[in-house]
Amino acid sequence: MKLRPWLSTCSSSTCITTADDSTIPFPENRRPSPNLLASYTSSSSSEIPSSAASSSNSSTSTSTLQSHLSLQTLPSVPSLQKISPESLSTSVSYLSVASIKPSPSLPITCLAVHGNLLYACSSHEINVYDRTTNAHLNAFSGQDPSSGSVKAVTFCDGKVFTTHQDCKIRVWQALATKSHKLLATLPTFNDRLRRSVLPKNYVTVRRHKKRLWIEHADAVTGLAVNNGLIYSVSWDKSLKIWRASDLRCVQSVKAHEDAVNAVAVSVDGTVYTGSADRRIRVWAKPFGEKRHALIATLEKHKSAVNALALNGDGSVLFSGACDRSILVWDREDSANHIVVTGALRGHGKAILCLINVSDTLFSGSADRTVRMWQRGIDGRYYCLAVLEGLEKAVKSLAAVSEERESNGVVSVFGGSLDGEIKAWQVSVSNHVSSPIS
C-alpha cells in the first residue's frame, strides 16, 4: 500500500508559555484542515476485509500475526510484537454482543464510558446509552448545529466535559433523570470579561484576527483530566490548562508547529501531546515551578500522530500515527528520559485511536479492525485478537474492565465512520504475561 505523504517536515521552534499575566504570539498561518488526520475513506487493495462471522460468534484463538504490509513501515524501529505464537499459551475469547446504530447514521467521532453509561458522539449530538442493555437513555447537544462535531468527552468532579468544532469546551451536569444540563461554556463569560480589559491578553491568531489567549482558535480535539486540572488541545496548535474548581484557564502553551490531535496525562501529572507535525511533546512542572514547561520532544513517527495512550502507572506511552505503526516509549528514571523501544505492527492503514485497559492495549484503525495487545514476560507484545465487523474506519474506542471474573472480562466499544457502534466482550485466560500497567 502506498502511503500518502501527509505532511512536510516542520522546523523546530521555541516554546512560549502563557499564564494569567502573559500572552502567546501565535504565528500567522492558515486554518488547519480537518484532513490533517488520516484519509479514513481512501481505498486500497491491501485493505483488510471485515468478517462478520468472526465477530458474531464466541471464538478462542492463540496470538497470530501474519506477514503484513505495515511491517515495512518505520524500518529503523524494531518490531516489539512476537510474530511466532510458539511460546504463548495465553488464549483469548471474544464475543460480539451488540451493534448500535444511532439515527441519523452519522460518523461516530467519540466514545466514552462512565459507570454504566456509554456516551457516543456523532455530529453535534451526544447520545447516552445504558451499556449493559444498550437502551438509549438520552441525547443532548451544543444546542446549535453550527457548533460542529463533538471531538472528545471526559469526566471530572461529577461533570461531563465535551469539546467541539466551534473552538469551545462545554460543561454539563448529569441529572437524576439521565438528562444533561449545560452549566458553562469555556472560557466562561466571567473569565473572558476579566481578561478583556488588558490589551496584552489578546493574541494574533491569523491576519487581522485577535483573540484572548484563554480562547481556542480552532477545533478542540482532545481532553485529559488529572488532579483537578483539565488539559485541552486544538488544531490551533495549542495546549491549554484549566482549573476544574472554578473553570478558569490558568495556562496556554504553543505546543506544536501543526494541529494537535491527541493529549494524555499520567498519574504524576506529566502531559503528552501528539501532533500532525509528527512529533510528541512532553510537558511537566519543573521542581518548584507552577507552570508546565516543555521537557522533551519525541521524534520517530513519519506522519501525523493521531492517538496517545498510557499504561496504568505512566511508565509506558503508546502512540499511533498515519504510518500504520504503534510506537512504544519507555520512561527511564524520569519523564526527561524517554526512549522508543519498538513498534507494534499489523494494521494495514492509519492508527486512529488507542486505549489501555486492564493490562491490555486496544488499537483502532482505518483498516476497519480493532487489535488487542498484551505484553509478555519477555517484554515482547502479543496481538491476542483482531476484532472485526465494522464496515468503515474505526475512529473511536472505549473500554472498561468488568472485574467480575478472575480471568478478566473487558467490554470494548468501537465507533465507525459509517455511524455504527460495535460492542465486544473479551476474556483472556491462562495468563503468562506480565501486565502493561
Side-chain angles (χ1 to χ4, degrees), residues 12 17-18 94 104 202 209 216-217 236 287 289 395 418:
S12 60
T17 301
T18 329
Y94 55 94
Y202 291 86
K209 178 71 174 178
H216 277 298
D236 66 12
F287 181 76
E289 299 291 330
K395 178 64 177 66
D418 66 358

Side-chain angles (χ1 to χ4, degrees), residues 158-177:
K159 301 179 183 68
V160 183
F161 291 77
T162 59
T163 70
H164 300 257
Q165 186 91 25
D166 66 356
C167 318
K168 300 291 194 302
I169 302 169
R170 291 179 171 84
V171 187
W172 310 81
Q173 181 70 59
L175 306 178
T177 59

Side-chain angles (χ1 to χ4, degrees), residues 237-428:
K237 311 172 189 176
S238 74
L239 162 69
K240 295 188 189 297
I241 304 172
W242 311 78
R243 200 161 47 214
S245 58
D246 57 9
L247 301 179
R248 283 185 176 176
C249 185
V250 296
Q251 187 179 359
S252 182
V253 177
K254 191 209 170 199
H256 288 270
E257 297 306 306
D258 213 325
V260 189
N261 297 326
V263 60
V265 58
S266 67
V267 290
D268 67 357
T270 304
V271 182
Y272 303 85
T273 55
S275 169
D277 67 10
R278 304 180 293 182
R279 298 181 178 95
I280 300 165
R281 284 188 166 154
V282 188
W283 312 85
K285 291 181 181 179
F287 181 76
E289 299 291 330
K290 294 183 178 180
R291 303 178 186 177
H292 286 72
L294 178 66
I295 59 173
T297 298
L298 312 180
E299 300 185 66
K300 276 293 182 180
H301 282 292
K302 303 302 181 185
S303 59
V305 179
N306 295 327
L308 298 173
L310 288 160
N311 70 336
D313 63 7
S315 62
V316 181
L317 171 72
F318 305 95
S319 59
C322 292
D323 54 28
R324 298 171 286 169
S325 290
I326 303 164
L327 294 188
V328 181
W329 308 81
D330 279 353
R331 279 174 61 161
E332 297 183 357
D333 299 326
S334 71
N336 297 57
H337 190 52
I338 303 175
V339 295
V340 61
T341 55
L344 307 181
R345 299 181 170 102
H347 281 294
K349 287 188 176 181
I351 312 299
L352 304 182
C353 46
L354 296 170
I355 189 168
N356 185 67
V357 174
S358 296
D359 312 338
T360 306
L361 177 71
F362 295 91
S363 57
S365 168
D367 68 9
R368 306 182 297 182
T369 67
V370 176
R371 286 181 178 255
M372 177 181 174
W373 311 85
Q374 270 200 357
R375 189 174 190 171
I377 55 176
D378 56 358
R380 312 277 289 184
Y381 286 80
Y382 300 91
C383 180
L384 296 180
V386 180
L387 309 180
E388 299 176 311
L390 290 168
E391 297 300 322
K392 295 291 184 180
V394 183
K395 178 64 177 66
S396 54
L397 284 173
V400 60
S401 175
E402 302 296 353
E403 296 182 351
R404 59 192 182 196
E405 296 182 25
S406 59
N407 61 352
V409 174
V410 177
S411 292
V412 184
F413 303 89
S416 171
L417 290 182
D418 66 358
E420 182 180 8
I421 303 167
K422 205 82 172 175
W424 296 271
Q425 280 200 340
V426 180
S427 176
V428 178

Side-chain angles (χ1 to χ4, degrees), residues 56-326:
S56 60
N57 298 290
S58 179
S59 61
T60 303
S61 63
T62 57
S63 173
T64 58
L65 265 181
Q66 298 178 352
S67 177
H68 206 279
L69 282 177
S70 66
L71 295 177
Q72 300 171 14
T73 64
L74 300 178
S76 62
V77 181
S79 292
L80 263 185
Q81 78 262 26
K82 197 83 168 181
I83 296 181
S84 170
E86 294 147 3
S87 61
L88 181 65
S89 61
T90 298
S91 64
V92 58
S93 62
Y94 55 94
L95 174 68
S96 176
V97 294
S99 179
I100 305 171
K101 295 184 178 180
S103 181
S105 185
L106 297 170
I108 304 297
T109 55
C110 176
L111 293 175
V113 169
H114 187 59
N116 284 327
L117 301 180
L118 172 67
Y119 290 74
C121 307
S122 55
S123 186
H124 69 290
E125 191 167 74
I126 303 121
N127 289 283
V128 185
Y129 298 89
D130 185 321
R131 65 179 184 84
T132 58
T133 64
N134 303 318
H136 185 265
L137 302 177
N138 178 242
F140 61 100
S141 69
Q143 300 174 347
D144 183 0
S146 65
S147 62
S149 61
V150 183
K151 298 294 186 181
V153 177
T154 194
F155 311 93
C156 182
D157 295 340
K159 301 179 183 68
V160 183
F161 291 77
T162 59
T163 70
H164 300 257
Q165 186 91 25
D166 66 356
C167 318
K168 300 291 194 302
I169 302 169
R170 291 179 171 84
V171 187
W172 310 81
Q173 181 70 59
L175 306 178
T177 59
K178 304 298 183 184
S179 60
H180 291 71
K181 176 184 177 182
L182 180 63
L183 295 180
T185 299
L186 304 186
T188 63
F189 174 78
N190 287 339
D191 205 5
R192 284 186 284 116
L193 183 63
R194 175 171 166 257
R195 311 280 186 183
S196 63
V197 179
L198 298 177
K200 71 176 184 178
N201 285 331
Y202 291 86
V203 295
T204 300
V205 293
R206 59 180 65 90
R207 190 176 183 181
H208 306 309
K209 178 71 174 178
K210 288 188 176 183
R211 286 195 179 212
L212 290 169
W213 65 263
I214 61 175
E215 297 178 291
H216 277 298
D218 211 327
V220 186
T221 52
L223 284 176
V225 174
N226 182 67
N227 196 28
L229 295 176
I230 301 161
Y231 304 86
S232 63
V233 294
S234 167
W235 283 345
D236 66 12
K237 311 172 189 176
S238 74
L239 162 69
K240 295 188 189 297
I241 304 172
W242 311 78
R243 200 161 47 214
S245 58
D246 57 9
L247 301 179
R248 283 185 176 176
C249 185
V250 296
Q251 187 179 359
S252 182
V253 177
K254 191 209 170 199
H256 288 270
E257 297 306 306
D258 213 325
V260 189
N261 297 326
V263 60
V265 58
S266 67
V267 290
D268 67 357
T270 304
V271 182
Y272 303 85
T273 55
S275 169
D277 67 10
R278 304 180 293 182
R279 298 181 178 95
I280 300 165
R281 284 188 166 154
V282 188
W283 312 85
K285 291 181 181 179
F287 181 76
E289 299 291 330
K290 294 183 178 180
R291 303 178 186 177
H292 286 72
L294 178 66
I295 59 173
T297 298
L298 312 180
E299 300 185 66
K300 276 293 182 180
H301 282 292
K302 303 302 181 185
S303 59
V305 179
N306 295 327
L308 298 173
L310 288 160
N311 70 336
D313 63 7
S315 62
V316 181
L317 171 72
F318 305 95
S319 59
C322 292
D323 54 28
R324 298 171 286 169
S325 290
I326 303 164

